[in-house]
Amino acid sequence: MNRLSVPYGRHLRPGGRMRATAVTLSLAAAGALAGTVPAAQAAPVHPAPVHHGGRPQCRGEGVDPAALIRYRSDILIKAPLSTVFTLQTDVERWPDWQEPVLSMKRLDPGPLRKGSRFRWTTPAPPTPTTPATTLTITSTVRQLRHDACILWSGPAIGDGVRIDEGVHLWTFTRVRGGVRVHTEETWTGDQVEADVPRATEILGQGLEAWLADLKAAAEARAGHRTVR
């Protein structure tokens, strides 16, 4: 799974602003928040072949179509495609640019690929029925296409909190002016499904924060130069 991205999720920062944790509490409950965030306004130059039947996928796989908790969003990043993709897939360096990722450990050697596993931790905010805690997420890469997409999934477990499975998809498309990054995530599990609107809200906040962090890190690395 990805962050409560419960990202999988974010945490409550000083001042009360919710941040998404790295688990992918990033999903969109059907109709709740999905569609409220406009896609990047840029025409694809060479669209990545990752959409099938109108649903974003990576090598034929996508998020859980039956999940009650889901969220999706897009952002335009003004940086080279290689920079954006490398930042997102170099998982061991996530803590360098994502404050909510408290720790990260690869569970196998070599480049990230299908079947790779990594374990990370992220704060989860309290809810009316669950305490604030730190989630431990064990993610398995299900699909990866270089400079195009990545899909991973896994459980997120904390003290009194559990997401049975989070499925997190990212696609990367070179467009005029930069890269359009699309992400979506779904969560399943009796505990989170007990309050779908709240879980969806947390997931959405986490994913939006993750996208903002990725944009800031990639554009800083690129020196804000125009990409053609």
Side-chain angles (χ1 to χ4, degrees):
M1 154 179 230
N2 311 300
R3 307 193 247 194
L4 268 147
S5 1
V6 175
Y8 303 140
R10 297 264 178 176
H11 64 288
L12 192 62
R13 291 178 179 253
R17 186 165 71 91
M18 184 73 72
R19 294 281 292 175
T21 70
V23 174
T24 300
L25 259 185
S26 324
L27 20 159
L33 292 179
T36 63
V37 180
Q41 300 300 308
V45 177
H46 299 294
V50 294
H51 294 72
H52 301 273
R55 293 181 179 178
Q57 296 184 346
C58 186
R59 293 189 178 274
E61 290 191 49
V63 296
D64 186 344
L68 298 178
I69 303 165
R70 61 181 61 244
Y71 190 88
R72 64 178 62 185
S73 189
D74 294 72
I75 198 167
L76 176 64
I77 299 179
K78 298 178 181 180
L81 176 57
S82 60
T83 298
V84 179
F85 188 80
T86 296
L87 272 170
Q88 183 58 40
T89 56
D90 187 1
V91 298
E92 291 174 287
R93 294 186 179 276
W94 281 0
D96 293 348
W97 56 273
Q98 295 190 79
E99 184 180 340
V101 180
L102 303 179
S103 67
M104 167 64 72
K105 181 180 181 180
R106 282 286 306 274
L107 301 180
D108 41 47
L112 201 68
R113 60 194 181 280
K114 182 177 179 179
S116 293
R117 300 172 67 242
F118 51 96
R119 182 170 293 129
W120 44 303
T121 59
T122 186
T127 74
T129 58
T130 60
T133 187
T134 296
L135 291 171
T136 297
I137 305 145
T138 304
S139 300
T140 300
V141 177
R142 290 167 47 171
Q143 294 291 348
L144 185 150
R145 182 175 178 184
H146 185 71
D147 281 351
C149 61
I150 183 171
L151 177 76
W152 68 74
S153 65
I157 302 171
D159 188 11
V161 178
R162 179 184 177 92
I163 298 171
D164 290 352
E165 184 176 58
V167 184
H168 201 175
L169 172 70
W170 294 81
T171 67
F172 308 84
T173 305
R174 183 180 290 111
V175 297
R176 293 182 179 86
V179 177
R180 179 167 57 86
V181 177
H182 172 83
T183 188
E184 53 186 83
E185 185 174 357
T186 54
W187 287 349
T188 54
D190 291 344
Q191 188 175 48
V192 289
E193 289 169 6
D195 190 345
V196 170
R198 175 58 174 161
T200 301
E201 178 186 13
I202 294 173
L203 175 60
Q205 290 172 334
L207 284 184
E208 293 297 339
W210 194 334
L211 285 170
D213 286 346
L214 179 60
K215 177 180 174 70
E219 292 184 352
R221 182 171 293 190
H224 299 278
R225 65 178 180 275
T226 302
V227 180
R228 301 182 184 278

